[in-house]
Structure formats: C-alpha cells, structure tokens
Amino acid sequence: MLYGKLPIVFLSTLASEKKDSTNSQIATYLLNHLDDIKDIGIQEIAKECSVAMSSISRFCKEIGLNDFNELRELLISIKMNFEQYSSSSKAKNRLEEYSLKVKESITMVEKSIDMQQINALCKEIQKYQQVGIFGLLKAGAVAFNLQSDLLMLGKQTYSHISYKQQLQYISSTNEDDLLIIFSYTGCYFDYPDISTLKNKLKKPQIWLISSKQESYPDFIDHVITFDSKRDQNSHPYQLQFIASLIAQEYARRI
C-alpha cells in the first residue's frame, strides 16, 4: 500500500501552509479538479488559479517536485483508493464490524511487538539530544502524537507534516541525530526523493516502525515490526498504539 506521491505532497502542503497562501490555493484547486486537469498545461492552470505561471513553477519546487513536468506526470498517473470495511446495509452492523477490525488490529500488535526493542528505543530517545520523528499522511499524524506525548514528558523532539520539510531535515542529519520513522508498509524510503539521500542516511541512527517485511534498506539501524493485515482500516490504529506504547515506556524511564 504505497501511497502515490501526489496526495503526499499536496495534502502535506495544505496541512502546513496558510489557508490563503498561493501554494495552498493551487493545491486546493488541483485536488478539486483532478479529473479535469490531467491534459492541460501550465498556462491554463495558472489562469484557473488566478496566478502567474511563475507561481505554478515555484509551487512545484516548494512542495518537493522537480518541475511542472513532474507535476503533470503525477496528475496523469494518479489513482485514488479507499477500502470500505463493511457492505452491510445496517449501521449497527457496520459499527460492530469496524470496531471488530480495529480491536483485531490492536491485538495483532500486542501479540507480535517486541517490548525489548521498544525499551531500547526509549533508551535512545533519552540519550540523543536531536530526535526527529516522521511519517507520511496517517503515519505523519502518529509522529506528531508521539512528539506531543514526549513533550509532556520533558523531551523536545522535531516533526513536520510537510514532505519537503521532512526531506530537508533528513538531508541535514549527522551522527548526532536519531530518526524515528513510522511507515505502515515500510516503504517510507522507497520514494525517489528520499532514496536519493541514501548516502546521507548512513550517518544518523535510524529506527523504522513498520509491519513485517522481507527486507529493509541497509542504512536502517533498527526495525520494530508488528503483524498486520496491511489494510487501510488497521493502518492508523496499529501505528498509534505503538506510538502511545513508546510514550508510556519512556515515562517509566524518567
């Protein structure tokens, strides 16, 4: 379940920009007209957004794209996918089925998570002065929640919802940095823009929190895995459960 780059960069832009900013206006227009703009050029998009063509080019750069051509490629190839959890016609049944799925996903984590690894990560969080916590889309929200919990415990960390800001932070890390990455499918480092940082990623200490995979990039130092059905319904709950567990165990250390 590798999310397309377009929803990642666009939704992170909307979440991190002011509502009336030029970038927010452009992203909003494009997301609202995905079916209508796949074959139009930069001039037409600029006209529809009531901005200069230079603003469209700048928008592409500022959200982490190479140029307008990459934006067009994303618009042409975009595929949205949403999984429904129940086909029942009764609301009560849909509620019960969804609740059961969530409970099952949490139980899977409970039975498969390695608490020794959780405690080892907590030790590293306490040790490092510079800690970055990241994820994309739903995993990004989980990263923010852990950042908030750690702040309540007196530990200041860094996180950012913006895809570009995450790239910039990661590219500036060194041996003094600890990176915690939430990635439900373990695909965080598979995105081209992040994979180009491979040499720099050998410097920081990296912990990846992911459902079980066959392999992981060699620059990742530690992986905390859990069993999962790898569906959209389990996604945020399993990661959030682990993030909350990390905060609980960190509290015990201090």
Side-chain angles (χ1 to χ4, degrees), residues 63-81:
I63 67 173
L65 304 181
N66 294 318
D67 49 31
F68 179 73
N69 287 332
E70 184 178 2
L71 174 60
R72 284 202 62 186
E73 291 177 4
L74 292 178
L75 292 172
I76 292 172
S77 61
I78 182 66
K79 292 182 179 179
M80 298 295 191
N81 178 51

Side-chain angles (χ1 to χ4, degrees), residues 151-195:
L151 182 61
M152 297 301 104
L153 293 168
K155 181 67 178 185
Q156 183 176 348
T157 61
Y158 179 85
S159 189
H160 210 294
I161 203 69
S162 166
Y163 179 68
K164 183 179 180 181
Q165 291 294 331
Q166 291 188 35
L167 291 177
Q168 290 177 340
Y169 183 94
I170 291 173
S171 66
S172 66
T173 55
N174 55 42
E175 294 82 356
D176 297 324
D177 288 275
L178 170 64
L179 287 178
I180 303 171
I181 306 296
F182 286 93
S183 179
Y184 186 62
T185 60
C187 296
Y188 183 90
F189 296 103
D190 290 352
Y191 291 94
D193 297 312
I194 300 178
S195 63

